[in-house]
Amino acid sequence: MVIHLWLACATPPEGPPATTGTPTTPEAVVAMDPARVAIRASLDLRGVRPSIEEFDRVAADPAAVDELVEEWLHDLRFGSRMADLWSEVYLTRSEAAYYVGPDDYGLYDVSGADFLHSVGDQPLRMLARIADEDRPWTELVTADWTLADPLLGQIWPLEREEGDGWTEARWTDARPDAGVLSSNTLWWRYTSTDSNANRKRANQISRIFLCEDYLVRPIEFDRALDLLDEEAVLTALQTNPACLNCHASLDPLAGYLYGFWYYDYYSVADLTEYHPERELQWGDQTGVPPGYFGSPGFTLKDLGRQLAADNRFAECAVEQATHLLLGRDLVLDDTGRLVQHREAFIQGGATLRALVRSVIASPEYRAGDVDDAVSVPWKLASADLLASQIEDLTGFRWTTDGYDLLQSADVGFRTLAGGADGYYATKGATLPNATLVLTHERLAEAAAAYVAATDLALDPTERRLLVDVDAAETSGSAPSSVRQLQTLHLRLFGKRVAETDPEVVELAALYDDVFAIQQDPTSAWAAVVSALLRDPDLLLY
Ligand code: HEC
């Protein structure tokens, strides 16, 4: 649901903070347990669960959660996490989307996985940097810089600072600077046919930056219109009220994008460079010059500035952040809170950090289980989060031929794991489903086998997860084994369980059962850890 905060726009940025609008939390909502707030925020901001020391801080003083949130907001992983969250909006990390690969550039030693990683992530890395460095959100569409890794530096017309990872770069062809709008990635991902005349691209700009998807508006179809008559369609587009409802503003937006007009989507020569000589091609395609909801413009740079100056641009960031962090669609009752988040965002210099801080502090984000069946505010871990938290806990990353199996939809299981690729699934799952549970099960088994084998071969001080167990111990109920089971509960779920807790007793019995068959502590611990990693608490947070 799209909610506009037009009234809020009247509040000047330097006006009084966050008192506009009535918070709309239902009375029945109880606050979430602080340990769970910590898990939720840590996963959202860092992609990993809190450490045992962090859980200890929260246990000693529930208010420590807010200090931790502040630390995590400045964690090195913050920008990347924001990129992961917004990947669901941009939908550029999809191998199905791109027509060309490394072979087309003659790079036979570059894998498809690496190519996809560079191309698909390019605009999202810009978003990550803007988030990390507290740059204003408007730089997304106005920046005169871009980012490139060595591969993109090699294949695209870019002058790039030295370095291994993503470094600042400038386009060296004649393309206008307009942040992510200048990136090849967006226009490789969102293509146009002749008759489409960049309208899909225009709609994606509106969807991504203004939260307005034209395709959700009603279309009243004029049955008298002969869709096979090209002339008649062109006339209808500019005169028929049923078409003008959308096309009056959509087609001018499309007019800005002809520098990225490609004739051959399989030709890297055509796709790589910007084409200033094609900028006026709108004249042949639709005859509708570039313009932004009634204001004229000429280049992509104008479009970037017009977007950045539009109130809907900030409102859209607020809607997206709230939606992505709450893990649910927004409803009318959220309006008051959105106004508060918008104020916090603007007071904070339009930085994503200020906006995310506001959402994480909100009662909606920290709502505990509701007393009746209204809604249990659990969020489903995305495929990215499943991968990053398991890697942090166990050291295991699920890969084949350089493909991260939880990130790839073609080679791996991203879609099966509930992830969106933009082609087969445009929205991430919000509830567990059969394929997600199967993927989770296989991941848990592989990660558990991995961590049991690596940890038990190491000195306890160097281990990752099985820090308490004595590698020579063969009983699940021995003191070191029981202590280990308790520590596992704390590390994984933030729960302190007694030695006699049924969970501990049953896992000790599982250990003994497996040991009786395998006669091997590594296999027995692999079974125990696998059972724990399959817990729904790892999926829902
Ligand atoms: C609700 C908004 C809306 C209305 C109303 C609407 N359109 Fe569209 N139209 C769009 C969008 C959005 C696209 C681009 C869709 C895409 O490719 O993702 C589009 C695309 C088109 C295209 C290009 C199709 C192609 O890909 O080849 C034509 C032609 C078109 N519309 C004609 C019309 C006509 C004629 C009318 C009036 C009868 C009309 N539209 C009414 C939103 C609308």
Coordinates of all heavy atoms in Angstrom, one line a residue, residues 8-89:
A8 N 2.7 16.4 5.7 CA 3.9 16.5 6.5 C 4.9 17.4 5.8 O 5.8 17.9 6.4 CB 4.5 15.1 6.7
C9 N 4.8 17.5 4.5 CA 5.8 18.3 3.7 C 5.7 19.7 4.2 O 6.7 20.5 3.9 CB 5.5 18.2 2.2 SG 5.4 16.5 1.7
A10 N 4.6 20.2 4.8 CA 4.5 21.5 5.2 C 5.5 21.8 6.4 O 5.8 23.0 6.6 CB 3.1 21.9 5.6
T11 N 5.9 20.8 7.1 CA 6.8 21.0 8.3 C 8.2 21.4 7.8 O 8.8 20.6 7.1 CB 6.9 19.8 9.1 OG1 5.6 19.2 9.2 CG2 7.4 20.1 10.5
P12 N 8.7 22.6 8.1 CA 10.0 22.9 7.6 C 11.1 21.9 8.2 O 10.9 21.5 9.4 CB 10.3 24.3 8.0 CG 9.3 24.5 9.2 CD 8.2 23.6 9.0
P13 N 12.2 21.6 7.5 CA 13.2 20.7 8.1 C 13.7 21.2 9.4 O 14.0 20.4 10.3 CB 14.3 20.8 7.0 CG 13.6 21.2 5.8 CD 12.5 22.1 6.2
E14 N 13.8 22.6 9.6 CA 14.4 23.0 10.9 C 13.3 23.2 12.0 O 13.6 23.6 13.1 CB 15.2 24.3 10.7 CG 14.4 25.5 10.2 CD 14.1 25.4 8.7 OE1 14.6 24.4 8.0 OE2 13.5 26.3 8.1
G15 N 12.1 22.8 11.7 CA 11.0 22.9 12.6 C 11.2 21.9 13.8 O 12.2 21.2 14.0
P16 N 10.2 21.9 14.7 CA 10.3 21.1 15.9 C 10.4 19.6 15.6 O 9.8 19.2 14.6 CB 9.0 21.4 16.7 CG 8.1 22.0 15.7 CD 8.9 22.6 14.6
P17 N 11.1 18.9 16.3 CA 11.3 17.5 16.0 C 10.1 16.6 16.3 O 9.3 16.9 17.2 CB 12.5 17.0 16.8 CG 12.5 18.0 18.0 CD 11.9 19.2 17.5
A18 N 9.9 15.6 15.5 CA 9.1 14.5 15.7 C 7.9 14.5 16.6 O 7.7 13.6 17.4 CB 10.0 13.3 16.1
T19 N 7.1 15.6 16.5 CA 5.9 15.6 17.3 C 4.6 15.5 16.5 O 3.5 15.4 17.0 CB 5.8 16.8 18.3 OG1 6.1 17.9 17.5 CG2 6.7 16.7 19.4
T20 N 4.8 15.7 15.2 CA 3.7 15.7 14.3 C 3.1 14.2 14.2 O 3.9 13.3 14.3 CB 4.1 16.1 12.9 OG1 5.4 15.8 12.7 CG2 3.8 17.5 12.6
G21 N 1.8 14.2 13.9 CA 1.2 12.8 13.7 C 1.1 12.1 15.1 O 1.8 12.3 16.0
T22 N 0.1 11.3 15.1 CA -0.2 10.5 16.3 C 0.4 9.1 16.1 O 0.1 8.4 15.2 CB -1.7 10.3 16.5 OG1 -2.3 11.5 16.0 CG2 -2.0 10.2 18.0
P23 N 1.3 8.7 17.0 CA 1.7 7.3 17.0 C 0.5 6.4 17.0 O -0.4 6.6 17.8 CB 2.6 7.2 18.2 CG 3.0 8.5 18.6 CD 1.8 9.4 18.2
T24 N 0.6 5.3 16.2 CA -0.6 4.6 16.1 C -0.5 3.1 16.6 O -1.1 2.2 16.1 CB -1.0 4.5 14.6 OG1 0.2 4.2 13.9 CG2 -1.5 5.8 14.1
T25 N 0.5 2.9 17.5 CA 0.6 1.6 18.1 C -0.6 1.2 18.8 O -1.1 1.9 19.7 CB 1.8 1.6 19.1 OG1 2.7 2.5 18.7 CG2 2.3 0.2 19.2
P26 N -1.2 0.0 18.5 CA -2.3 -0.5 19.2 C -2.0 -0.7 20.7 O -0.8 -1.1 21.0 CB -2.6 -1.8 18.6 CG -1.8 -1.9 17.3 CD -0.7 -0.9 17.5
E27 N -2.9 -0.4 21.6 CA -2.7 -0.5 23.0 C -2.2 -1.9 23.4 O -1.4 -2.1 24.3 CB -4.0 -0.3 23.8 CG -4.7 1.0 23.4 CD -3.9 2.3 23.6 OE1 -3.3 2.3 24.6 OE2 -4.0 3.1 22.7
A28 N -2.7 -2.9 22.7 CA -2.5 -4.3 23.1 C -1.0 -4.8 22.9 O -0.6 -5.8 23.5 CB -3.4 -5.2 22.3
V29 N -0.2 -4.0 22.2 CA 1.1 -4.4 21.9 C 2.0 -4.4 23.1 O 2.1 -3.4 23.8 CB 1.7 -3.6 20.8 CG1 3.2 -3.9 20.6 CG2 1.0 -3.8 19.5
V30 N 2.6 -5.5 23.4 CA 3.6 -5.5 24.5 C 5.0 -5.4 24.0 O 5.2 -5.7 22.8 CB 3.4 -6.8 25.3 CG1 2.2 -6.8 26.2 CG2 3.4 -8.0 24.4
A31 N 5.9 -4.9 24.8 CA 7.3 -4.7 24.3 C 8.0 -6.1 24.2 O 7.7 -7.0 24.9 CB 8.0 -3.8 25.3
M32 N 8.8 -6.2 23.2 CA 9.5 -7.4 22.9 C 10.6 -7.6 24.0 O 11.2 -6.6 24.5 CB 10.2 -7.3 21.5 CG 10.8 -8.5 21.0 SD 11.7 -8.0 19.4 CE 10.4 -8.1 18.3
D33 N 10.9 -8.8 24.3 CA 12.0 -9.1 25.2 C 13.3 -8.5 24.7 O 13.6 -8.6 23.5 CB 12.0 -10.6 25.3 CG 13.3 -11.1 26.0 OD1 13.3 -10.8 27.2 OD2 14.1 -11.7 25.4
P34 N 14.1 -7.8 25.6 CA 15.3 -7.1 25.1 C 16.3 -8.0 24.4 O 16.9 -7.6 23.4 CB 15.9 -6.6 26.4 CG 14.8 -6.6 27.4 CD 13.8 -7.6 27.0
A35 N 16.4 -9.3 24.8 CA 17.3 -10.1 24.1 C 16.9 -10.3 22.7 O 17.7 -10.4 21.7 CB 17.4 -11.5 24.8
R36 N 15.5 -10.4 22.5 CA 15.0 -10.6 21.1 C 15.2 -9.3 20.3 O 15.4 -9.3 19.1 CB 13.6 -11.0 21.2 CG 13.4 -12.4 20.5 CD 11.9 -12.7 20.4 NE 11.3 -12.1 19.2 CZ 10.0 -12.0 19.0 NH1 9.2 -12.5 19.9 NH2 9.5 -11.5 17.9
V37 N 15.0 -8.1 20.9 CA 15.3 -6.9 20.2 C 16.7 -6.9 19.7 O 17.0 -6.5 18.6 CB 15.0 -5.6 21.1 CG1 15.4 -4.4 20.4 CG2 13.6 -5.6 21.6
A38 N 17.6 -7.4 20.6 CA 19.0 -7.4 20.3 C 19.2 -8.3 19.1 O 20.0 -7.9 18.1 CB 19.9 -7.8 21.5
I39 N 18.6 -9.5 19.1 CA 18.8 -10.4 17.9 C 18.3 -9.7 16.7 O 19.0 -9.7 15.6 CB 18.1 -11.7 18.2 CG1 18.7 -12.5 19.4 CG2 18.0 -12.6 17.0 CD1 17.9 -13.7 19.8
R40 N 17.1 -9.2 16.7 CA 16.5 -8.6 15.6 C 17.4 -7.5 15.0 O 17.7 -7.4 13.8 CB 15.1 -8.1 15.9 CG 14.4 -7.4 14.8 CD 12.9 -7.1 15.2 NE 12.0 -8.2 14.8 CZ 10.7 -8.0 14.6 NH1 10.2 -6.8 14.6 NH2 9.9 -9.0 14.2
A41 N 17.8 -6.6 15.9 CA 18.5 -5.4 15.4 C 19.9 -5.8 14.9 O 20.4 -5.3 13.9 CB 18.7 -4.4 16.5
S42 N 20.5 -6.8 15.6 CA 21.9 -7.2 15.2 C 21.8 -7.9 13.8 O 22.6 -7.6 13.0 CB 22.4 -8.2 16.2 OG 23.6 -8.7 15.8
L43 N 20.8 -8.7 13.6 CA 20.6 -9.3 12.3 C 20.4 -8.2 11.2 O 21.0 -8.2 10.1 CB 19.5 -10.3 12.3 CG 19.9 -11.7 12.9 CD1 18.6 -12.5 13.1 CD2 20.9 -12.4 12.1
D44 N 19.5 -7.3 11.5 CA 19.2 -6.3 10.5 C 20.3 -5.4 10.2 O 20.5 -5.0 9.1 CB 18.0 -5.4 11.0 CG 16.6 -6.2 10.8 OD1 16.6 -7.1 9.9 OD2 15.6 -5.8 11.5
L45 N 21.1 -5.0 11.2 CA 22.2 -4.0 11.0 C 23.5 -4.6 10.6 O 24.3 -4.0 10.0 CB 22.4 -3.2 12.3 CG 21.1 -2.3 12.7 CD1 21.3 -1.7 14.0 CD2 20.9 -1.3 11.6
R46 N 23.8 -5.9 11.1 CA 25.1 -6.5 10.9 C 25.0 -7.8 10.1 O 26.0 -8.4 9.7 CB 25.8 -6.8 12.2 CG 25.9 -5.6 13.1 CD 26.8 -5.9 14.3 NE 26.2 -7.0 15.1 CZ 26.8 -7.5 16.2 NH1 28.0 -7.0 16.6 NH2 26.2 -8.5 16.9
G47 N 23.8 -8.4 10.1 CA 23.7 -9.7 9.4 C 24.1 -10.9 10.2 O 24.1 -12.0 9.8
V48 N 24.4 -10.6 11.5 CA 24.8 -11.7 12.4 C 24.1 -11.6 13.7 O 23.5 -10.5 14.0 CB 26.3 -11.7 12.7 CG1 27.1 -11.8 11.4 CG2 26.8 -10.4 13.4
R49 N 24.1 -12.7 14.5 CA 23.5 -12.7 15.8 C 24.4 -12.0 16.8 O 25.6 -12.0 16.6 CB 23.1 -14.1 16.3 CG 22.1 -14.7 15.3 CD 21.6 -16.0 15.7 NE 20.4 -16.1 15.0 CZ 19.2 -16.1 15.5 NH1 19.0 -16.2 16.8 NH2 18.1 -16.1 14.8
P50 N 23.8 -11.5 17.9 CA 24.7 -10.9 19.0 C 25.7 -12.0 19.5 O 25.4 -13.2 19.5 CB 23.7 -10.5 20.1 CG 22.4 -10.4 19.4 CD 22.4 -11.4 18.3
S51 N 26.8 -11.5 20.0 CA 27.8 -12.4 20.6 C 27.3 -12.7 22.1 O 26.4 -12.1 22.6 CB 29.1 -11.8 20.7 OG 29.1 -10.7 21.6
I52 N 27.9 -13.7 22.7 CA 27.6 -14.0 24.1 C 27.8 -12.8 25.0 O 27.0 -12.5 25.8 CB 28.3 -15.3 24.5 CG1 27.8 -16.5 23.8 CG2 28.3 -15.5 26.0 CD1 28.4 -17.8 24.1
E53 N 28.9 -12.1 24.7 CA 29.2 -10.9 25.6 C 28.1 -9.9 25.4 O 27.7 -9.2 26.4 CB 30.5 -10.3 25.2 CG 31.8 -11.1 25.4 CD 31.9 -12.3 24.5 OE1 31.6 -12.1 23.3 OE2 32.2 -13.4 25.0
E54 N 27.6 -9.8 24.2 CA 26.5 -8.8 24.0 C 25.2 -9.2 24.7 O 24.5 -8.4 25.3 CB 26.3 -8.6 22.5 CG 27.5 -7.8 21.9 CD 27.5 -7.9 20.3 OE1 26.9 -8.8 19.7 OE2 28.2 -7.0 19.7
F55 N 24.9 -10.5 24.6 CA 23.8 -11.0 25.3 C 23.9 -10.8 26.8 O 23.0 -10.4 27.5 CB 23.5 -12.5 25.1 CG 22.8 -12.8 23.8 CD1 23.4 -13.7 22.9 CD2 21.6 -12.2 23.5 CE1 22.7 -14.1 21.7 CE2 21.0 -12.5 22.3 CZ 21.5 -13.4 21.4
D56 N 25.2 -10.9 27.3 CA 25.4 -10.7 28.7 C 25.2 -9.2 29.1 O 24.6 -8.9 30.2 CB 26.9 -11.0 29.1 CG 27.1 -12.6 29.1 OD1 26.1 -13.3 29.2 OD2 28.3 -13.0 29.1
R57 N 25.6 -8.3 28.2 CA 25.3 -6.9 28.5 C 23.8 -6.6 28.6 O 23.4 -5.9 29.5 CB 25.9 -6.0 27.4 CG 27.4 -5.7 27.6 CD 28.0 -5.0 26.4 NE 27.5 -3.7 26.2 CZ 27.9 -2.9 25.1 NH1 28.7 -3.4 24.2 NH2 27.4 -1.7 25.0
V58 N 23.1 -7.2 27.7 CA 21.6 -7.0 27.7 C 21.0 -7.6 29.0 O 20.1 -7.0 29.6 CB 20.9 -7.5 26.5 CG1 19.4 -7.4 26.5 CG2 21.5 -6.9 25.2
A59 N 21.5 -8.8 29.4 CA 20.9 -9.4 30.6 C 21.2 -8.6 31.8 O 20.4 -8.5 32.7 CB 21.6 -10.8 30.7
A60 N 22.4 -8.0 31.9 CA 22.8 -7.2 33.0 C 22.0 -5.9 33.1 O 21.7 -5.4 34.1 CB 24.3 -6.9 33.0
D61 N 21.7 -5.3 31.9 CA 21.0 -4.1 31.9 C 20.2 -4.0 30.5 O 20.8 -3.8 29.5 CB 22.0 -2.9 31.9 CG 21.3 -1.6 31.7 OD1 20.1 -1.5 31.8 OD2 22.1 -0.6 31.4
P62 N 18.9 -4.1 30.6 CA 18.1 -4.1 29.4 C 18.3 -2.9 28.5 O 18.1 -2.9 27.3 CB 16.6 -4.2 29.9 CG 16.7 -4.8 31.2 CD 18.0 -4.4 31.8
A63 N 18.6 -1.7 29.2 CA 18.8 -0.5 28.4 C 20.1 -0.6 27.5 O 20.3 0.2 26.6 CB 19.0 0.7 29.3
A64 N 20.9 -1.6 27.8 CA 22.1 -1.7 27.0 C 21.8 -2.0 25.5 O 22.6 -1.8 24.6 CB 23.0 -2.9 27.5
V65 N 20.6 -2.5 25.3 CA 20.2 -2.7 23.9 C 20.3 -1.5 23.0 O 20.8 -1.5 21.9 CB 18.7 -3.2 23.9 CG1 18.0 -2.8 22.6 CG2 18.7 -4.7 24.0
D66 N 20.0 -0.3 23.6 CA 20.0 0.9 22.8 C 21.5 1.3 22.5 O 21.8 1.8 21.5 CB 19.2 2.0 23.5 CG 17.8 1.7 23.5 OD1 17.2 1.4 22.4 OD2 17.1 1.7 24.6
E67 N 22.4 1.0 23.5 CA 23.8 1.3 23.2 C 24.3 0.4 22.1 O 25.0 0.8 21.2 CB 24.6 1.0 24.5 CG 24.4 2.0 25.6 CD 25.0 1.4 26.9 OE1 26.0 0.6 26.9 OE2 24.4 1.7 28.0
L68 N 23.9 -0.9 22.2 CA 24.3 -1.8 21.2 C 23.8 -1.4 19.8 O 24.6 -1.5 18.8 CB 23.8 -3.2 21.6 CG 24.6 -3.9 22.7 CD1 23.9 -5.2 23.2 CD2 26.0 -4.3 22.3
V69 N 22.5 -1.0 19.8 CA 22.0 -0.6 18.5 C 22.8 0.5 17.9 O 23.2 0.5 16.7 CB 20.5 -0.2 18.6 CG1 20.0 0.6 17.4 CG2 19.6 -1.4 18.8
E70 N 23.2 1.4 18.7 CA 24.0 2.6 18.3 C 25.4 2.1 17.8 O 25.9 2.5 16.7 CB 24.2 3.6 19.4 CG 24.5 5.0 19.0 CD 23.6 5.5 17.9 OE1 22.3 5.3 17.9 OE2 24.1 6.2 16.9
E71 N 26.0 1.1 18.5 CA 27.3 0.5 18.0 C 27.1 -0.2 16.7 O 27.9 0.0 15.7 CB 27.8 -0.5 19.0 CG 28.4 0.1 20.3 CD 28.7 -0.9 21.3 OE1 29.0 -2.1 21.0 OE2 28.6 -0.6 22.5
W72 N 26.0 -0.9 16.6 CA 25.8 -1.7 15.3 C 25.4 -0.8 14.2 O 25.7 -1.1 13.0 CB 24.6 -2.7 15.6 CG 25.0 -3.7 16.6 CD1 26.3 -4.1 17.0 CD2 24.1 -4.5 17.4 NE1 26.2 -5.0 18.0 CE2 24.9 -5.3 18.3 CE3 22.7 -4.6 17.5 CZ2 24.3 -6.2 19.2 CZ3 22.1 -5.5 18.4 CH2 22.9 -6.3 19.2
L73 N 24.8 0.4 14.4 CA 24.5 1.3 13.4 C 25.8 1.8 12.7 O 25.8 2.2 11.6 CB 23.7 2.5 13.9 CG 22.2 2.4 14.0 CD1 21.6 3.5 14.8 CD2 21.6 2.4 12.6
H74 N 26.9 1.7 13.5 CA 28.2 2.1 12.9 C 29.1 0.9 12.6 O 30.3 1.1 12.5 CB 28.9 3.1 13.9 CG 28.1 4.4 14.0 ND1 27.1 4.6 14.9 CD2 28.3 5.5 13.3 CE1 26.6 5.8 14.7 NE2 27.3 6.4 13.7
D75 N 28.5 -0.2 12.6 CA 29.3 -1.4 12.3 C 29.8 -1.4 10.8 O 29.1 -0.8 10.0 CB 28.4 -2.7 12.5 CG 29.2 -4.0 12.4 OD1 29.3 -4.5 11.3 OD2 29.7 -4.4 13.4
L76 N 30.9 -2.0 10.6 CA 31.4 -2.0 9.2 C 30.5 -2.7 8.2 O 30.6 -2.5 7.0 CB 32.8 -2.7 9.1 CG 34.0 -2.0 9.7 CD1 35.2 -2.8 9.7 CD2 34.2 -0.7 8.9
R77 N 29.6 -3.6 8.7 CA 28.7 -4.3 7.8 C 27.4 -3.5 7.5 O 26.6 -4.0 6.7 CB 28.4 -5.7 8.4 CG 29.6 -6.6 8.4 CD 29.4 -7.8 9.4 NE 29.6 -7.3 10.8 CZ 29.9 -8.1 11.8 NH1 30.0 -9.4 11.6 NH2 30.0 -7.6 13.0
F78 N 27.2 -2.4 8.2 CA 26.0 -1.7 8.0 C 25.6 -1.4 6.6 O 24.5 -1.7 6.1 CB 26.0 -0.4 8.9 CG 24.9 0.5 8.7 CD1 23.6 0.2 9.2 CD2 25.0 1.7 8.0 CE1 22.5 1.1 9.0 CE2 23.9 2.6 7.8 CZ 22.7 2.2 8.3
G79 N 26.6 -0.8 5.8 CA 26.3 -0.4 4.5 C 25.9 -1.6 3.6 O 24.9 -1.6 2.9
S80 N 26.6 -2.7 3.8 CA 26.3 -3.9 3.0 C 25.0 -4.5 3.3 O 24.3 -5.0 2.5 CB 27.4 -5.0 3.3 OG 28.6 -4.6 2.8
R81 N 24.6 -4.4 4.6 CA 23.3 -4.9 5.0 C 22.2 -4.0 4.4 O 21.2 -4.6 3.9 CB 23.1 -4.8 6.5 CG 23.6 -6.0 7.3 CD 22.8 -7.3 6.8 NE 21.4 -7.2 7.2 CZ 20.4 -7.7 6.5 NH1 20.7 -8.5 5.4 NH2 19.2 -7.6 6.8
M82 N 22.4 -2.8 4.3 CA 21.4 -1.9 3.7 C 21.3 -2.3 2.2 O 20.2 -2.3 1.6 CB 21.8 -0.4 3.8 CG 21.8 0.1 5.3 SD 20.1 -0.2 6.1 CE 20.5 -1.5 7.3
A83 N 22.5 -2.6 1.6 CA 22.5 -3.0 0.2 C 21.7 -4.3 0.0 O 20.9 -4.4 -0.9 CB 23.9 -3.2 -0.3
D84 N 21.9 -5.2 1.0 CA 21.1 -6.5 0.9 C 19.6 -6.2 1.0 O 18.8 -6.7 0.3 CB 21.5 -7.4 2.0 CG 22.8 -8.1 1.8 OD1 23.3 -8.0 0.6 OD2 23.4 -8.8 2.7
L85 N 19.2 -5.3 2.0 CA 17.8 -5.0 2.1 C 17.2 -4.4 0.9 O 16.2 -4.8 0.4 CB 17.6 -4.0 3.3 CG 17.6 -4.6 4.7 CD1 17.5 -3.4 5.7 CD2 16.5 -5.6 4.9
W86 N 17.9 -3.4 0.3 CA 17.4 -2.7 -0.9 C 17.5 -3.6 -2.1 O 17.0 -3.2 -3.2 CB 18.0 -1.3 -1.0 CG 17.1 -0.3 -0.5 CD1 16.2 0.5 -1.2 CD2 17.0 0.2 0.9 NE1 15.6 1.3 -0.4 CE2 16.0 1.2 0.9 CE3 17.6 -0.2 2.1 CZ2 15.6 1.8 2.1 CZ3 17.3 0.5 3.2 CH2 16.3 1.5 3.2
S87 N 18.3 -4.7 -2.1 CA 18.4 -5.5 -3.3 C 17.0 -6.0 -3.7 O 16.7 -6.2 -4.8 CB 19.3 -6.7 -3.0 OG 18.8 -7.6 -2.1
E88 N 16.1 -6.1 -2.7 CA 14.7 -6.5 -3.0 C 13.9 -5.4 -3.7 O 12.9 -5.7 -4.4 CB 14.0 -6.8 -1.6 CG 12.9 -7.7 -1.8 CD 12.3 -8.0 -0.4 OE1 12.9 -8.4 0.5 OE2 11.1 -7.7 -0.3
V89 N 14.4 -4.2 -3.6 CA 13.8 -3.1 -4.4 C 14.4 -3.0 -5.8 O 13.7 -2.9 -6.8 CB 14.0 -1.8 -3.6 CG1 13.4 -0.6 -4.4 CG2 13.3 -1.8 -2.2

